[in-house]
Amino acid sequence: AQKITQTQPGMFVQEKEAVTLDCTYDTSDPSYGLFWYKQPSSGEMIFLIYQGSYDQQNATEGRYSLNFQKARKSANLVISASQLGDSAMYFCAMREENRDDKIIFGKGTRLHILP
Amino acid sequence: DVKVTQSSRYLVKRTGEKVFLECVQDMDHENMFWYRQDPGLGLRLIYFSYDVKMKEKGDIPEGYSVSREKKERFSLILESASTNQTSMYLCASSRGGRGNQPQHFGDGTRLSIL
């Protein structure tokens, strides 16, 4: 069974609008961490934001925020005021405490920002 | 800033060749990883290493081996390249022992096996 599910293979959004990229996860480990990465067409993977399972507040980094709903096992990425440069592939990932330092990645969502 | 450097952005090799993909990180990270990325399949872990001379199999180790003789360098080896190993290969590193540490990635190597 998939541990990380990203249900949106692709999205088209108008520039300056807010974007929500969905991510659900599956784990029985009480301690885990969630990551979001951005991959532009050039190929490099860029770390965006992290949320720990025990963090009381949703993580924020500039225009990125993570809508963490623990009971739903949901960790959606929100990008405010989207820009053309946000067009990329976005990956949700999870690290489980009992699985050392390995990270499991979802299959990604390709985001297209329209001018 | 963390820098993870992969030796080649693009590489073309022939079936049956022995192929080396090199990865170097400059942040004294304990952990290093090799992934392959294919359309529709996301990133799949091939091998990883928690320390010098240590290696662990990931989810798809068949046809690959690795070498970590120095802390900063992690090499992926295709013993006898096959066309189904044509893919994007990504190297990553992370600091060990702390759950909130992200993996930092290199720019990737697009490998074509003819």
Side-chain angles (χ1 to χ4, degrees):
Chain A
Q2 282 190 58
K3 291 242 178 183
I4 297 285
T5 303
Q6 295 181 253
T7 56
Q8 307 148 310
M11 286 184 71
F12 290 83
V13 173
Q14 206 68 40
E15 189 180 9
K16 299 181 185 176
E17 289 185 354
V19 180
T20 297
L21 304 180
D22 295 340
C23 174
T24 57
Y25 59 92
D26 182 27
T27 181
S28 57
D29 194 332
S31 179
Y32 54 89
L34 297 155
F35 303 82
W36 276 93
Y37 285 84
K38 172 185 178 181
Q39 187 180 39
S41 56
S42 49
E44 71 274 26
M45 293 280 282
I46 302 166
F47 165 66
L48 296 177
I49 196 167
Y50 168 83
Q51 179 85 43
S53 60
Y54 292 120
D55 293 344
Q56 295 297 312
Q57 294 188 325
N58 287 345
T60 60
E61 288 287 347
R63 293 187 300 113
Y64 303 108
S65 60
L66 206 152
N67 183 1
F68 181 46
Q69 298 187 41
K70 194 169 182 177
R72 292 186 171 185
K73 294 189 175 178
S74 165
N76 297 341
L77 177 71
V78 180
I79 306 173
S80 63
S82 59
Q83 302 170 357
L84 295 178
D86 294 332
S87 293
M89 196 77 169
Y90 288 81
F91 291 94
C92 179
M94 176 175 67
R95 177 188 177 276
E96 294 168 294
E97 193 67 33
N98 67 358
R99 287 175 62 86
D100 302 311
D101 292 327
K102 291 194 289 185
I103 291 179
I104 305 163
F105 287 83
K107 294 190 174 162
T109 295
R110 184 166 295 281
L111 176 63
H112 304 268
I113 305 298
L114 305 172
Chain B
D1 278 354
V2 176
K3 186 68 176 175
V4 179
T5 303
Q6 293 184 230
S7 51
S8 306
R9 290 298 301 270
Y10 301 92
L11 203 55
V12 180
K13 296 291 183 180
R14 294 209 171 272
T15 303
E17 281 192 67
K18 190 169 186 175
V19 181
F20 293 86
L21 302 182
E22 306 287 348
C23 176
V24 177
Q25 50 94 4
D26 67 357
M27 283 302 291
D28 201 37
H29 283 169
E30 291 81 6
N31 305 326
M32 296 190 75
F33 306 84
W34 274 107
Y35 296 90
R36 64 176 283 175
Q37 182 180 15
D38 302 286
L41 298 178
L43 276 75
R44 293 180 291 168
L45 182 64
I46 305 171
Y47 267 97
F48 58 102
S49 168
Y50 294 135
D51 203 348
V52 176
K53 297 193 185 296
M54 290 183 65
K55 60 184 179 183
E56 298 283 342
K57 292 181 180 179
D59 300 318
I60 51 163
E62 296 78 18
Y64 303 94
S65 63
V66 290
S67 171
R68 194 164 180 202
E69 296 296 318
K70 294 184 178 181
K71 191 174 185 179
E72 67 271 19
R73 185 181 297 271
F74 193 36
S75 304
L76 180 69
I77 304 157
L78 286 65
E79 297 289 345
S80 177
S82 63
T83 54
N84 63 10
Q85 292 177 309
T86 291
S87 186
M88 171 75 141
Y89 289 87
L90 290 160
C91 175
S93 72
S94 70
R95 192 167 301 284
R98 297 172 61 181
N100 64 347
Q101 293 298 312
Q103 291 184 8
H104 298 272
F105 285 81
D107 289 343
T109 296
R110 294 185 190 274
L111 175 65
S112 295
I113 307 297
L114 305 179

